[in-house]
Amino acid sequence: MFYSHTFLAKKGPLGTVWIAAHLQHKLRKSHVAVTDISSTVDCIMFPEVPIALRLSGHLLLGVVRIYSKKVDYLYHDCNEVLSQMRTMFASVHVNLPEDADRATFQAVTLPDTFELDALEFDTQYLE
């Protein structure tokens, strides 16, 4: 099968995927962030020009590597936010009374029969 060299050029639609498949160490975070996985897979599955099955396999390997990098970056960002939240809330001191460590059963449970007519709403916001 044939394929266009512009199809796999560095600035082409699948250039980043080709680099991810064959030159993974040259893949940058900006390349990974810009790549849209769904449109790239559509471009591989339904190409403008016919491509060989082996080439489509290599390109799908590149898509998997890009997706893996995206997951790694997301995992790293989530862990960073979590650690920042832990350090932020570790320094917060809460002064609660001694008996405030437990709530009553009625405070956290809804009644068996919930009557909406018994609730009183402020009607000034409804008008």
Side-chain angles (χ1 to χ4, degrees):
M1 288 269 161
F2 299 101
Y3 64 91
S4 174
H5 291 284
T6 59
F7 194 60
L8 296 177
K10 194 172 188 178
K11 304 263 182 185
L14 297 175
T16 305
V17 177
W18 179 261
I19 290 172
H22 294 284
L23 305 167
Q24 187 176 5
H25 63 278
K26 289 192 175 187
L27 194 61
R28 304 280 180 251
K29 188 173 183 176
S30 60
H31 295 130
V32 172
V34 171
T35 305
D36 182 26
I37 299 292
S38 61
S39 66
T40 304
V41 170
D42 286 341
C43 192
I44 294 170
M45 298 305 292
F46 308 106
E48 300 167 0
V49 294
I51 58 175
L53 185 60
R54 185 175 187 169
L55 176 62
S56 64
H58 285 280
L59 293 174
L60 288 174
L61 172 66
V63 168
V64 168
R65 285 185 176 167
I66 288 174
Y67 184 74
S68 174
K69 283 287 196 183
K70 283 190 175 207
V71 169
D72 287 342
Y73 292 144
L74 178 66
Y75 180 74
H76 176 72
D77 292 344
C78 289
N79 278 336
E80 187 176 321
V81 168
L82 183 65
S83 66
Q84 288 176 358
M85 286 176 58
R86 284 182 180 158
T87 58
M88 182 176 64
F89 288 119
S91 63
V92 174
H93 297 288
V94 179
N95 296 327
L96 291 176
E98 289 292 325
D99 59 342
D101 61 345
R102 300 197 187 269
T104 62
F105 180 78
Q106 292 79 16
V108 294
T109 337
L110 289 175
D112 291 335
T113 56
F114 193 69
E115 297 177 11
L116 289 175
D117 294 334
L119 296 176
E120 299 206 11
F121 294 108
D122 192 5
T123 58
Q124 71 178 0
Y125 297 111
L126 298 177
E127 295 174 350

